[in-house]
Amino acid sequence: MTDIETLHSPTDAIVVTDLVKRYGRMLALDSVSLTVPNNTMFALLGPNGAGKTTLIHILCTILQPDGGQAWLAGTNVQKQPLKARQNIGVVFQEPSLDDRLTAYENLDFHGRVYNVKSADRKRGIDELLALVELEDWRHAVVRTFSSGMKRRLEIARALLHSPRILFLDEPTVGLDAQSRAGIWAYLDTLRKQRDLTIVVTTHYIEEVENCDKVSIIDHGKIIADGSPLHLKSQHGKETARVIPRDAETAAALTARYGALQTAKDGSLIIDASAPGFADAFLAEFGSRIRQVAFDKPSLESVFLTLTGRELRDRTADEHEKRGAAARRGRRS
């Protein structure tokens, strides 16, 4: 009889089958299954409360699922959590550096926890500080760092024990646009240099356009996955974002085009994929609108097509909040 632990390809860094997680009566993960090949830049895309963090915490052995199985680099996460942890580096959404220590001391402490030999630890610290451009701040106390510098140091720390998979949960939240772009540049360099599988959760949809594979999660379910190009070709639509001059025009648009989506800025989102839509729309409504912008098929339109709303329209669901509170309680 074949052992279920061997039922996956050696070319897959992550295999998840039918994962279930509940917080009381709330179903946070609903039979989630996915695979992530080795040396892949993979993004888990979804709104706050969709189940992204819950899934990552199960894969990082922080949470136990209520059902299903997960493997990391061939290791069953539930049955061999200690071995699984040796294969992963993690950068959590909440800061986890000791800001009373220097950059060097934070990395050195992490290496000692993972039993990295002294010579390898010193060499790795030098290489990683150079990679994230913090070598000039190696002896600076971390509390003096900017948010972007702290995040770069957290990435370096997560890689010191040479993991095969790097998890980053919302790595650019709270960073300015320049810092966010810099983090993604570092990640791309890391994957190429280290043959690393990188898993990122985010609700910044524009950040995942260059990923190899994207899975869209909503209400605890994977509702679509594939390359960004595949997702856009299968589910993306050209849309028009319209700001009407008055409520009467808004009502007329709804009557003409059916139920419309409302963006966070108050504009109405209309399916503009029909041939000749722009000319027909402007002929009928051109004088009655303040502004119209036409958007080409994008991952944002993919999410809108699949869920009926924009990605960032929601705040965290209660089950995610309760789960975070429970985890903080266990640490205190």
Side-chain angles (χ1 to χ4, degrees):
M1 183 173 182
T2 304
D3 186 342
I4 191 172
E5 292 186 46
T6 65
L7 295 179
H8 56 81
S9 168
T11 62
D12 291 326
I14 301 171
V15 178
V16 172
T17 59
D18 299 321
L19 275 190
V20 174
K21 182 63 181 178
R22 294 181 177 87
Y23 297 121
R25 294 183 179 180
M26 301 299 294
L27 187 58
L29 296 179
D30 187 0
S31 298
V32 168
S33 297
L34 58 85
T35 60
V36 180
N38 287 322
N39 194 26
T40 295
M41 180 77 83
F42 172 76
L44 189 62
L45 188 66
N48 290 330
K52 303 187 304 295
T53 296
T54 295
L55 177 56
I56 293 301
H57 282 184
I58 289 173
L59 293 175
C60 295
T61 75
I62 295 170
L63 288 175
Q64 280 288 327
D66 296 311
Q69 299 283 335
W71 294 264
L72 297 176
T75 299
N76 187 292
V77 172
Q78 294 98 307
K79 295 182 178 181
Q80 296 178 291
L82 292 179
K83 183 178 179 182
R85 288 172 198 162
Q86 294 293 325
N87 288 318
I88 64 173
V90 186
V91 177
F92 293 109
Q93 183 175 348
E94 297 297 326
S96 59
L97 296 167
D98 190 330
D99 66 3
R100 298 164 298 179
L101 302 180
T102 66
Y104 181 90
E105 289 168 339
N106 268 278
L107 295 180
D108 185 63
F109 180 76
H110 179 87
R112 291 173 185 270
V113 169
Y114 275 86
N115 295 316
V116 179
K117 293 180 179 179
S118 178
D120 294 336
R121 193 166 67 244
K122 292 177 180 178
R123 181 172 61 252
I125 290 173
D126 289 342
E127 291 175 356
L128 288 166
L129 286 176
L131 180 64
V132 298
E133 299 180 351
L134 290 175
E135 61 266 54
D136 291 341
W137 288 272
R138 64 190 292 124
H139 297 305
V141 177
V142 169
R143 66 178 52 175
T144 66
F145 285 13
S146 68
S147 296
M149 292 169 69
K150 290 178 181 178
R151 189 48 49 101
R152 281 149 49 195
L153 183 60
E154 286 181 308
I155 292 172
R157 183 184 62 179
L159 293 171
L160 187 58
H161 61 286
S162 300
R164 297 173 61 182
I165 305 167
L166 176 63
F167 288 96
L168 301 105
D169 187 14
E170 301 281 3
T172 60
V173 165
L175 302 183
D176 59 60
Q178 184 176 357
S179 295
R180 285 168 53 193
I183 292 298
W184 280 95
Y186 289 123
L187 294 178
D188 187 54
T189 300
L190 283 169
R191 185 172 68 90
K192 293 175 180 177
Q193 289 184 355
R194 291 175 168 253
D195 193 26
L196 190 69
T197 299
I198 298 179
V199 178
V200 179
T201 73
T202 183
H203 62 272
Y204 292 118
I205 203 163
E206 67 278 6
E207 291 187 341
V208 304
E209 287 284 351
N210 294 321
C211 287
D212 301 304
K213 183 177 180 181
V214 177
S215 286
I216 298 176
I217 186 170
D218 191 36
H219 294 299
K221 286 180 173 289
I222 301 293
I223 57 175
D225 67 357
S227 69
L229 182 62
H230 171 78
L231 290 173
K232 286 186 283 189
S233 66
Q234 292 293 110
H235 305 287
K237 290 182 179 180
E238 185 172 353
T239 58
R241 292 174 179 259
V242 181
I243 300 178
R245 290 189 179 276
D246 47 46
E248 182 180 353
T249 301
L253 288 167
T254 301
R256 175 69 174 80
Y257 295 104
L260 306 180
Q261 303 301 322
T262 302
K264 295 188 74 174
D265 62 2
S267 61
L268 301 176
I269 302 175
I270 301 172
D271 182 353
S273 57
F277 173 88
D279 290 341
F281 175 81
L282 292 173
E284 185 173 357
F285 290 99
S287 63
R288 302 172 64 184
I289 59 175
R290 295 183 186 277
Q291 183 177 327
V292 60
F294 294 95
D295 297 329
K296 293 182 179 180
S298 63
L299 288 176
E300 187 74 57
S301 68
V302 169
F303 192 85
L304 181 64
T305 299
L306 292 171
T307 69
R309 65 185 183 283
E310 289 193 296
L311 181 61
R312 281 172 272 184
D313 276 353
R314 298 164 55 202
T315 56
D317 288 345
E318 285 304 310
H319 64 260
E320 289 281 355
K321 291 180 180 177
R322 287 198 293 269
R327 291 189 290 274
R328 286 195 297 271
R330 286 196 295 270
R331 290 196 296 267
S332 61

